[in-house]
Amino acid sequence: MANYDKDIKMAVEVMRRGGVILYPTDTVWGIGCDATNPEAVARVYEIKQRSDAKALICLVDSEARLQRYVRNVPNVAWDLIEYATKPVTVILDGAVNLAPNLVADDGSVAIRVTREPFSQQLCFRFQKAIVSTSANISGQPAASNFCDIDPALIEAVDYVCTSRRQEKKPHTPSSIVRLRLDGQVEVIRK
């Protein structure tokens, strides 16, 4: 357990300094940073070689933390988060307290409450939302496991988490559901 705690502590320190990390999530491996730091978010776009017109997902550790980043969370979002059988990212209107370059042009944010122990503890100890975009160059397949990550990405980040590196399991990206304040629901990715 000491290595797990040390790993989280190192990742948190790097993100507090504005750095970018590679880490295991509740879905695939992710590239992460402080979701409130515009310079760090810009580096993630650069590392992924992704247009900043395409929004990134962020992770939080709890429903309470989610409320810090979204002005009005529709009731259906709480049910979806509570009863989903697999990780689900919700796109919600009225993003607040996040880096402007993380928020979509329409003011929405893609956010997920993680239940996986490592990423949940990482978010909890960081005490802020963490960017969680798949660890791949834009257009390439997402890295299910550490062994799938492009070596160029490993070189480009400031810290690579040591936890769960040995895993070789099938992991898939989250479902993505767009929830509008007027009650409209749109499934973006199943």
Side-chain angles (χ1 to χ4, degrees):
M1 208 50 145
N3 287 345
Y4 176 91
D5 288 337
K6 182 180 176 194
D7 197 19
I8 288 174
K9 185 177 180 205
M10 290 292 298
V12 165
E13 286 175 12
V14 167
M15 288 189 294
R16 283 197 179 125
R17 292 193 310 263
V20 175
I21 65 169
L22 276 175
Y23 68 109
T25 75
D26 53 340
T27 59
V28 297
W29 270 72
I31 302 173
C33 70
D34 178 350
T36 67
N37 180 327
E39 292 81 16
V41 172
R43 271 198 62 217
V44 170
Y45 280 114
E46 183 182 307
I47 289 167
K48 270 190 79 82
Q49 300 172 27
R50 181 176 175 152
S51 162
D52 63 7
K54 289 185 171 184
L56 301 173
I57 292 170
C58 55
L59 282 187
V60 292
D61 63 312
S62 66
E63 288 82 353
R65 186 126 21 236
L66 179 135
Q67 290 181 291
R68 291 185 189 176
Y69 301 109
V70 178
R71 200 170 277 117
N72 295 301
V73 180
N75 287 334
V76 68
W78 301 124
D79 292 339
L80 192 57
I81 291 164
E82 183 176 350
Y83 297 113
T85 56
K86 71 176 257 190
V88 62
T89 299
V90 289
I91 300 174
L92 302 170
D93 294 322
V96 293
N97 305 318
L98 291 165
N101 52 344
L102 185 62
V103 177
D105 290 341
D106 65 1
S108 66
V109 63
I111 196 162
R112 184 168 74 248
V113 177
T114 180
R115 305 275 187 234
E116 182 274 327
F118 183 85
S119 56
Q120 187 176 46
Q121 193 60 221
L122 182 65
C123 290
F124 175 75
R125 297 232 198 123
F126 190 57
Q127 294 287 299
K128 291 185 197 176
I130 298 174
V131 165
S132 182
T133 184
S134 56
N136 61 308
I137 304 295
S138 193
Q140 300 295 316
S144 286
N145 297 288
F146 179 76
C147 60
D148 302 321
I149 299 173
D150 185 319
L153 288 180
I154 294 169
E155 289 296 316
V157 301
D158 303 303
Y159 182 72
V160 181
C161 289
T162 57
S163 299
R164 293 181 45 207
R165 282 194 189 182
Q166 305 311 315
E167 267 184 15
K168 289 194 168 79
K169 295 186 205 171
H171 294 280
T172 55
S174 68
S175 297
I176 300 177
V177 179
R178 175 77 161 99
L179 303 173
R180 298 194 185 274
L181 287 174
D182 64 6
Q184 287 183 20
V185 176
E186 178 187 1
V187 176
I188 309 281
R189 181 171 69 200
K190 287 189 177 187

